[in-house]
Amino acid sequence: MKKFNVVGKPVTRQDAYEKATGTALYADDYTFPGMLYGVMVRVPASHAIIDRIDYSAVAGNPAVTAIVDHNDIPAQKKVGPIKQDQPIFSWEKIVTPGDVVAMLVGQNETELLQLRDKVSVEFTALPVLTDPLKSMDPDAPRIHPQYENNAIVHYPLRKGDPEKGFAESDYIIEQTYTTQFIEHGYIEPEAVIAIPLGKAKGVKILGSIQNPHTTRKVVALVLGLPLTKVRVVQAEMGGSFGGKDDQMNILSARAAVAAVKTNRPVKIRFNREESILESYKRHPYHMHYKVGFTNEGKLKSMRIHITADGGAYASMSPFVTWRTVVQATGPYEVENVFTDVHAVYTNNPYTGAMRGFGSPQPIFAQEQIMDEIALKLGMSPLQIREINGFKTGSVTASGQKLDNHEVNLSTVINKAVEETNFVEKWQKNQKDNADVAKQLNFANDSEANQFILTKDQLIAPDKTWRKGIGLAASYRGCSLGAEGIDVTSAYLSVQLDGSAYLLCGLAENGQGLRTTFCIVAAEILGLTVDKIFYLEQDTAIAPDSGPTVASRSTLMGGGAVRNAAETIRERMVRSVADEWKVSADSITFANNTVSSSENNKSVTFADACGITYKHKENLATIGFYQAPEVSWEEETGQGSAYFTYVYGCQIAEITVNIATGQVYVEKVTAVHDPGTVLNLQGALGQVYGGVTQGVGYGIWEEISVHNGKIREMNLDQYLLPTSKEIDDITAIFIEGKDEHGAWGAKSLGEPTLELGAAAVANAIQNATGTRFYHNPINLEEILLNRKLYPEDLKRGSL
Amino acid sequence: MKKHIKFLLNGREMACEVEQNKRLLDFLREDLQLTGTKEGCSVGECGACTIIVDKLAVNSCLMLAVQVDGAEVMTVEGLMENGELSKMQQQFIDKGAIQCGFCTPGMMMSAYALIMHNPDPSVEEIKTAIAGNLCRCTGYKQIIEAVSCSCGK
Ligand code: FES
Ligand code: FES
């Protein structure tokens, strides 16, 4: 392998100084002279026809500079990435409690917040649809009357002959799994400011925005302006995880409409309650798996039915669920597969992109099934995965042959297993904990809410804490795959003093992409990272590179930055070789100098830039990277879904208190093959953060809805993992070879998140002898085998 | 109604007029333009607004500005030492404890308050001290390392 100077070494983040000193500016840290605030007016309903909105109680109030609603929208009133079903301001119907009918705009936000309840909205309530499984019933309430039914999308995948496969199986397991709504939980709530620039220039948007180019498109559509007249600048992002996409487009559009109407800057900032109320969530899935396998442990057939709750708007559901249909069978060879994935409308909060993007849910199901199969056959979880796991040359459920990259599934699994002494511990726990199932089962036998134990259900104090270890593995398609157009560009401009500007169209969301891209450019130009200055994200400068999603930025953006840097390097080589009359091959770039081995000359990088300039070569360029071809047959779900894949395995070691149901996570060992690691410290941070989110998904986090309304409205009820929840996390990288991107650096952000819940679920089975099918596996789930929800929306202490 | 208050802010004496019902967090961010202190939940759960008042880490979203009358207040802006990064800030940078950075100011304030009282805390003590500061990005590991390495020699 090539020896690197900068790649793979610990490098300090580009933005760390500002963030460590409190001087980094996030959207809400900006104020502008004459700035107004926008405050949302909502309707206390989940599904209703809007009959009349009466502003008379607030219209003349001096605190209200303007009232903005759908009548103020000059062009398109509804938007959406795939289906244009989401109004900027609702006027016909309310389809979920987050919907906004109007915005009060004025200088004093506090006064506006008190006034907004005075707006009177007359509405006719409609039946509320909350169960996605009922959404396709003939008499189900129709959420969007313009569509024939409540279907958002349906993806079939058909391979082989599943019935024949079941006939050839010795065993069949059938099971239903469910997962919950999840809040992104970025610590910075949404904030955006729209600044009117006058007729000739349009409007500038500054905000906590994940995909500035998408926001620009939406705002331009809503205002009826050309793209060039909407300039979107990204403020420092206080986390996103997929969550500051659609929601920020809508908020930016509202602010922009108000800014144009009042001709003043308008800021919208959400408090935590509004953020949870209106922003989209991770999809809850209802998953039915039927799996046939032989005595030898070979998978023969899978039949999978998945329904995803899309909530009130389509948002990214069609993309999210497409990843699900591709990956639903896991990293295993299965000859015969029948998969149906549906996403449907309900009146629940809408769901969209969140880190993981349609993979954490099927992994929760399918990785538990693999363990079930192992238990049934008396094998270990390792054995069953060895028998069925992908190897180089394996064929996926969509018929894609994995032969263009190193398939490192067994490598990552074996590494994790060795590291933790998995098999031995798993077998010992399985034996030690054989008695627990009986004790936990009392809730099933007894009446609901009747918690009196019989004698044999009493737990001796020294037997309360039970150890468990669980494993989960996955493969993941990199970047967008056949979901979308997959290209990126990067702008690189080298200055005569040897420093350089760099900017890629992908966005920094806190994950550290600026640093990673600087590393790539520095490596190629032989510079130290501090010579490269990463510009702030601005749609007026950066070329549109598609969305910063799908863990594609290192792979795709890295490819574009590499291309730009190589172009500049070639020009410099040409000029310097010509100047010195040496061969181009003899020229090397390292440590901010350019040298030739032929004449043993060397000059500073800055001087080499001077030489290049003298030779009339352009020191600025736009690099481009295009993903290789992918393909997809809609009717059969067959094709090369993604151009390359990554592999990961996580093992969770836990203790369960079987008297209280509490799960304590002692250690998570995460082994990932992200291809080449460009930015070691950043990569470690991705693993630690992803594992923590994954474990949170498995044990504590849940948004529950009551008639479409969310119960957990702030972080007192929505439980994000704290510093005390996980004792330790170990990260190990296996760097598999791949020809794509920058030196084969692929994806890491999402693979780290998708495995935690499944690994914990398997560990809980190992500790309790009981399998739990409904995420999150919290105290109630373990003790009572069901969730306990309040019967209304009252907060605990209120 | 306004009230006159005097207090020490990051080592500087301050005398201000402040609305009696103004939250300390808003007073810092809006009146004094110290936007390093962040707001994430407004109910004392996330810790993004943590500052130090009389050597104790507090949630500034849960205090009124008038409550710091006569007190000694420290915010993230007061961490620098003679224009240089303090040891803790440097450690946060070096250990990769900062991703999006939104939790960072509050996190450093909780950690700094801990070290004021306990110059050589154990990992468990560090975890407890920052348990009221939520971070969604880092999984805390590099933060704990950074705090650990900011202590002692
Ligand atoms: S804003 Fe004060 S604790 Fe969250
Ligand atoms: S670094 Fe983003 S919340 Fe902590």
Side-chain angles (χ1 to χ4, degrees):
Chain A
M1 200 177 204
K2 183 176 165 356
K3 258 192 70 200
F4 292 117
N5 289 314
V6 196
V7 164
K9 310 265 156 46
V11 170
T12 303
R13 282 183 74 96
Q14 287 273 308
D15 47 19
Y17 182 90
E18 282 76 23
K19 288 175 175 176
T21 52
T23 51
L25 292 176
Y26 298 78
D28 192 28
D29 300 338
Y30 290 90
T31 49
F32 294 90
M35 190 177 83
L36 305 173
Y37 290 91
V39 161
M40 308 302 135
V41 178
R42 297 197 176 82
V43 180
S46 302
H47 195 195
I49 305 271
I50 303 169
D51 298 320
R52 207 169 78 89
I53 308 177
D54 180 1
Y55 298 112
S56 57
V58 300
N61 195 303
V64 181
T65 311
I67 300 168
V68 183
D69 68 11
H70 77 102
N71 291 307
D72 297 296
I73 294 179
Q76 199 168 308
K77 293 190 180 195
K78 287 187 181 180
V79 299
I82 297 126
K83 290 186 165 199
Q84 270 81 58
D85 58 3
Q86 188 166 13
I88 304 298
F89 293 107
S90 304
W91 73 96
E92 302 158 304
K93 281 185 79 178
I94 296 299
V95 293
T96 195
D99 282 349
V100 167
V101 293
M103 192 164 80
L104 303 186
V105 183
Q107 215 155 5
N108 186 324
E109 198 186 18
T110 317
E111 279 175 12
L112 295 177
L113 285 166
Q114 284 160 353
L115 283 172
R116 69 167 160 188
D117 293 338
K118 300 222 161 81
V119 175
S120 116
V121 185
E122 286 168 28
F123 62 87
T124 310
L126 297 170
V128 178
L129 172 64
T130 57
D131 182 353
L133 298 183
K134 295 203 175 109
S135 70
M136 297 304 282
D137 290 357
D139 58 345
R142 194 103 65 79
I143 310 300
H144 296 285
Q146 67 269 37
Y147 304 129
E148 212 175 296
N149 54 37
N150 290 325
I152 296 175
V153 75
H154 166 218
Y155 293 115
L157 183 148
R158 310 284 183 256
K159 181 190 178 195
D161 183 346
E163 287 319 311
K164 186 162 151 269
F166 286 123
E168 288 164 9
S169 300
D170 296 310
Y171 293 97
I172 291 172
I173 291 185
E174 246 187 295
Q175 196 55 58
T176 301
Y177 296 83
T178 60
T179 64
Q180 74 279 35
F181 285 100
I182 287 286
E183 168 64 33
H184 297 80
Y186 28 76
I187 306 298
E188 176 208 31
E190 296 78 355
V192 63
I193 307 152
I195 303 154
L197 301 175
K199 250 211 149 26
K201 288 191 178 158
V203 57
K204 178 174 163 181
I205 308 284
L206 170 65
S208 184
I209 290 165
Q210 181 180 332
N211 294 314
H213 286 91
T214 322
T215 301
R216 179 178 67 157
K217 192 161 78 190
V218 169
V219 172
L221 278 175
V222 170
L223 294 182
L225 289 177
L227 291 175
T228 43
K229 288 199 180 177
V230 178
R231 181 169 176 188
V232 180
V233 179
Q234 195 187 31
E236 203 63 66
M237 295 282 292
S240 180
F241 317 110
K244 287 173 179 166
D245 189 7
D246 305 49
Q247 188 58 42
M248 290 315 298
N249 303 339
I250 302 254
L251 292 190
S252 301
R254 284 181 198 150
V257 171
V260 168
K261 181 165 180 173
T262 58
N263 201 25
R264 291 175 57 181
V266 174
K267 182 192 268 189
I268 298 174
R269 53 174 181 184
F270 274 0
N271 60 25
R272 181 60 60 183
E273 281 86 0
E274 287 204 282
S275 169
I276 290 185
L277 172 62
E278 191 178 333
S279 72
Y280 51 93
K281 313 283 177 255
R282 179 186 291 147
H283 294 72
Y285 273 28
H286 183 277
M287 302 173 279
H288 187 86
Y289 273 72
K290 179 176 173 185
V291 183
F293 52 97
T294 64
N295 282 323
E296 293 73 43
K298 186 78 197 135
L299 294 172
K300 288 303 270 184
S301 193
M302 281 204 200
R303 180 181 270 277
I304 304 168
H305 287 275
I306 294 177
T307 303
D309 187 350
Y313 299 111
S315 180
M316 290 292 218
S317 288
F319 288 162
V320 171
T321 49
W322 183 73
R323 184 175 286 277
T324 308
V325 81
V326 176
Q327 296 176 181
T329 48
Y332 308 108
E333 293 179 341
V334 194
E335 268 170 66
N336 309 294
V337 183
F338 178 107
T339 306
D340 269 332
V341 180
H342 293 269
V344 294
Y345 286 119
T346 63
N347 292 117
N348 290 328
Y350 75 116
T351 47
M354 183 179 175
R355 191 176 187 179
F357 209 82
S359 72
Q361 300 95 332
I363 291 174
F364 175 75
Q366 141 254 316
E367 279 303 275
Q368 291 202 72
I369 289 172
M370 293 309 285
D371 269 31
E372 282 297 283
I373 296 172
L375 283 166
K376 188 138 223 153
L377 298 174
M379 292 180 172
S380 82
L382 175 65
Q383 269 172 302
I384 197 73
R385 286 170 177 82
E386 269 169 355
I387 294 169
N388 297 288
F390 285 155
K391 298 153 195 76
T392 301
S394 287
V395 176
T396 67
S398 75
Q400 178 174 6
K401 194 162 182 200
L402 301 173
D403 55 5
N404 71 344
H405 61 279
E406 259 185 272
V407 177
N408 269 332
L409 181 72
S410 63
T411 321
V412 293
I413 295 179
N414 286 329
K415 183 77 192 162
V417 163
E418 261 167 47
E419 200 64 27
T420 52
N421 200 6
F422 173 83
V423 178
E424 202 173 297
K425 286 182 190 164
W426 186 85
Q427 275 161 348
K428 178 169 187 301
N429 297 339
Q430 214 68 38
K431 229 183 274 139
D432 288 356
N433 299 326
D435 60 323
V436 182
K438 182 174 78 226
Q439 284 162 337
L440 281 181
N441 260 334
F442 77 87
N444 294 342
D445 316 335
S446 57
E447 290 278 297
N449 295 338
Q450 135 110 39
F451 305 134
I452 299 168
L453 305 186
T454 59
K455 208 162 172 201
D456 64 333
Q457 288 166 335
L458 287 178
I459 299 158
D462 62 323
K463 298 222 154 158
T464 314
W465 291 93
R466 303 302 182 101
K467 285 203 177 302
I469 187 167
L471 174 155
S474 73
Y475 82 126
R476 183 180 182 90
C478 297
S479 199
L480 302 177
E483 277 177 88
I485 310 289
D486 212 353
V487 294
T488 47
S489 323
Y491 164 72
L492 176 66
S493 171
V494 177
Q495 309 301 306
L496 287 174
D497 67 351
S499 60
Y501 286 127
L502 178 64
L503 182 63
C504 175
L506 299 172
E508 171 72 56
N509 294 319
Q511 79 279 48
L513 147 172
R514 287 189 273 241
T515 314
T516 303
F517 290 166
C518 289
I519 289 173
V520 173
E523 183 69 43
I524 290 166
L525 296 174
L527 291 173
T528 45
V529 178
D530 60 308
K531 294 282 184 207
I532 298 174
F533 183 81
Y534 201 85
L535 290 165
E536 71 176 2
Q537 190 53 254
D538 183 336
T539 55
I541 305 172
D544 191 346
S545 294
T548 307
V549 296
S551 304
R552 70 191 276 267
S553 50
T554 298
L555 172 60
M556 296 296 300
V561 173
R562 180 177 181 176
N563 175 255
E566 281 175 345
T567 305
I568 299 280
R569 185 182 153 124
E570 264 168 46
R571 292 176 190 162
M572 294 181 71
V573 165
R574 231 178 4 241
S575 306
V576 173
D578 188 50
E579 178 86 10
W580 291 347
K581 305 284 174 258
V582 296
S583 72
D585 298 349
S586 74
I587 296 187
T588 50
F589 289 65
N591 305 322
N592 302 324
T593 45
V594 177
S595 341
S596 164
S597 54
E598 233 169 86
N599 58 0
N600 283 330
K601 251 198 184 173
S602 79
V603 290
T604 62
F605 183 80
D607 288 342
C609 291
I611 294 171
T612 312
Y613 188 67
K614 212 175 74 191
H615 281 72
K616 302 196 178 78
E617 291 265 24
N618 187 356
L619 282 168
T621 190
I622 293 195
F624 189 72
Y625 188 75
Q626 180 187 356
E629 277 304 303
V630 282
S631 63
W632 191 253
E633 287 275 339
E634 287 293 338
E635 287 76 44
T636 55
Q638 294 294 295
S640 294
Y642 295 93
F643 61 86
T644 190
Y645 293 83
V646 291
Y647 303 86
C649 175
Q650 291 181 0
I651 290 180
E653 294 177 66
I654 61 161
T655 311
V656 182
N657 181 331
I658 59 167
T660 65
Q662 187 197 352
V663 174
Y664 186 68
V665 181
E666 281 163 11
K667 188 168 177 188
V668 178
T669 304
V671 183
H672 289 275
D673 172 10
T676 305
V677 174
L678 296 181
N679 172 0
L680 181 59
Q681 200 171 65
L684 289 170
Q686 285 297 312
V687 177
Y688 303 145
V691 164
T692 306
Q693 284 186 12
V695 170
Y697 182 46
I699 310 181
W700 308 286
E701 295 180 37
E702 175 170 28
I703 290 284
S704 70
V705 286
H706 177 72
N707 260 328
K709 300 195 178 76
I710 293 173
R711 291 195 184 87
E712 299 77 9
M713 290 295 283
N714 204 324
L715 303 175
D716 55 336
Q717 289 173 300
Y718 189 80
L719 304 179
L720 295 177
T722 74
S723 56
K724 299 193 72 147
E725 253 71 61
I726 302 173
D727 205 33
D728 198 19
I729 303 170
T730 302
I732 298 168
F733 299 116
I734 307 281
E735 298 183 80
K737 286 199 194 55
D738 201 304
E739 67 198 23
H740 300 104
W743 307 287
K746 300 194 268 189
S747 308
L748 185 61
E750 293 175 285
T752 61
L753 170 131
E754 62 191 13
L755 292 161
V760 165
N762 280 336
I764 292 173
Q765 188 286 327
N766 189 230
T768 62
T770 311
R771 175 76 49 194
F772 297 94
Y773 306 99
H774 306 291
N775 216 25
I777 308 180
N778 54 19
L779 308 177
E780 301 90 289
E781 187 66 33
I782 291 180
L783 278 193
L784 308 175
N785 227 316
R786 63 194 169 88
K787 307 277 189 279
L788 288 181
Y789 299 116
E791 280 172 18
D792 51 30
L793 291 165
K794 286 212 193 89
R795 295 251 289 243
S797 54
L798 294 179
Chain B
M1 247 235 316
K2 291 206 173 186
K3 192 181 171 213
H4 194 77
I5 57 170
K6 280 189 179 169
F7 61 104
L8 210 58
L9 175 63
N10 297 330
R12 281 226 326 264
E13 280 185 34
M14 305 288 287
C16 310
E17 291 281 316
V18 60
E19 282 295 340
Q20 304 234 22
N21 65 353
K22 189 155 211 146
R23 294 185 306 166
L24 180 53
L25 175 61
D26 297 330
F27 176 62
L28 292 169
R29 288 182 53 86
E30 292 167 9
D31 298 21
L32 304 179
Q33 264 117 53
L34 293 176
T35 55
T37 305
K38 303 298 182 202
E39 179 164 12
C41 72
S42 331
V43 297
E45 288 290 332
C46 76
C49 65
T50 308
I51 61 168
I52 301 176
V53 175
D54 286 339
K55 301 200 163 52
L56 284 179
V58 299
N59 292 326
S60 63
C61 70
L62 296 183
M63 274 179 84
L64 293 172
V66 291
Q67 288 178 279
V68 297
D69 194 12
E72 196 181 318
V73 177
M74 181 179 177
T75 67
V76 65
E77 286 88 353
L79 267 180
M80 298 274 275
E81 290 163 1
N82 310 319
E84 302 275 315
L85 290 177
S86 66
K87 192 169 178 185
M88 184 186 289
Q89 288 170 309
Q90 192 61 55
Q91 284 300 332
F92 265 68
I93 294 174
D94 293 349
K95 294 289 180 302
I98 303 174
Q99 286 189 36
C100 84
F102 200 78
C103 69
T104 309
M107 198 66 85
M108 291 197 295
M109 285 292 110
S110 289
Y112 197 86
L114 166 72
I115 297 175
M116 275 177 165
H117 300 280
N118 180 356
D120 190 19
S122 67
V123 166
E124 262 330 290
E125 286 168 328
I126 295 172
K127 284 187 174 183
T128 305
I130 61 166
N133 293 81
L134 296 174
C135 175
R136 189 57 153 170
C137 302
T138 65
Y140 306 100
K141 179 158 168 153
Q142 288 152 310
I143 295 176
I144 294 162
E145 278 168 22
V147 177
S148 211
C149 297
S150 325
C151 310
K153 280 275 142 247

